[in-house]
Amino acid sequence: MRVALSTVALVFVVALSMSAQSGPAVPPQKPVPDVTALVSRLNLDSYKATIKSLTQFGDRRQGTERNRKAVDWIEAQLQSYGCPTERIKYVYDPPPPRTGGGAPAGGGGGGGQQVAPGDVPRISGGGRPRGARARTGVNTDPMRQPDEKLRALNQEPAKNGPREEVYCTKVGSKFPNEMYIVGAHMDGHGWGEAANDDGSGTALVMELARIFSMPDVATERTIRFALWNNEETGLNGARAYVAQRQALQGKEDPPGSGRYPEPKWLGMIQHDMMMWDHGMPRPDGTLNPEQRPEADVNIEFQSTAKMAAEAMKLAFFFHGANERYATDYPAQVGPHMTNTDSTPFMDVVPAISLRENERGLHTGYGWNPHWHQPTDVFSTFSDKDFRLGLNATQTTGGAIAELAGLTLRH
């Protein structure tokens, strides 16, 4: 079914490319040497080290001191790369939760599948070959976390109030008034380390900021690397960015300065949970602890968005970049982009999301036993899992380098 869908979608892309008013440039037929050289600066050890560093702040739950310290650390790292930083400030103060139960906003249902360390999780209802479901949701029980040090780190509850999130910007040399936004959310919850959700996406964005900020790198268009906060409560950080910055697009400030605090958005690319593609339950009802052989980088657009046609073109541009620059895993394009920070952008700019697999189906069915669970820790994942995240980094790095007009100064 996935192959058929991608084939049909590709036919539509060819037709749309002849009529759409905007969209990505025509992709090259073979790798661009400067882009290949830039992408080669990404490596597994650096990607893993960035994720590992993020875990020092536990689950980085919004509204806590550990979250604020993580924001400070991310900003310091971006600055050390030579990428100038700024912050978005907003207030998160939602109404009290409804009485009589219900899921917290943006957090999924409570009472998720609980998995003891080392156990192989089983789906409820046995091993149906299709449509199998397991319990899923947000773990809220601290005692499910066996690591006492991590449990203590995650103990502080969230408090409503002011929030901050950080971004940094690579200014374009020729078209500084045009910009691609590359994002991921840095907050998590569930009493783990939020290593996959979304340390894996945060590390991806930071690694790209690192290589694009190297002194010999120039891009014709601007690139912004954004680390959203409050994703788990309903995409609040990304929504705050859109609310505060959308109307500023393309305005030179001060006039005649050649400076554009908010360049015109050309595309928004989100990254959320990059490392888990272990497939559906096995016939005996257990979930595979190893990555499936056909693991891939999933690239999604939302078919109901106002910018769906342009977003689909952007998604297939990224599919081509995966072919040109990713070392291990292929990409697949799908039309369902849900529950992540590209959603607030999708009606105003072509927006896509890269993630581990079709989250709306696989994760929603409980096929990822570590989603919002105490087991979402660095030690859970193998090098094959980390390498899947690296391949997503290569995919986005290659695509953005081509779209932004990369050159390396020799």
Side-chain angles (χ1 to χ4, degrees), residues 210-231:
R210 177 179 65 83
I211 64 170
F212 275 94
S213 299
M214 290 179 174
D216 64 337
V217 176
T219 59
E220 293 183 342
R221 292 173 177 83
T222 296
I223 310 169
R224 180 156 291 167
F225 304 95
L227 288 313
W228 317 114
N229 210 338
N230 274 91
E231 190 270 354

Side-chain angles (χ1 to χ4, degrees), residues 309-368:
E310 295 86 350
M312 183 168 67
K313 289 174 63 180
L314 183 63
F316 274 96
F317 192 100
F318 272 64
H319 184 278
N322 171 271
E323 293 282 340
R324 292 186 289 279
Y325 304 110
T327 53
D328 305 283
Y329 296 104
Q332 288 287 355
V333 174
H336 302 296
M337 181 182 72
T338 59
N339 300 338
T340 195
D341 288 303
S342 44
T343 302
F345 292 86
M346 69 182 186
D347 288 334
V348 295
V349 64
I352 63 174
S353 173
L354 279 68
R355 74 273 307 279
E356 83 298 347
N357 59 3
E358 301 87 343
R359 181 168 62 167
L361 173 64
H362 293 190
T363 306
Y365 272 27
W367 297 4
N368 181 347

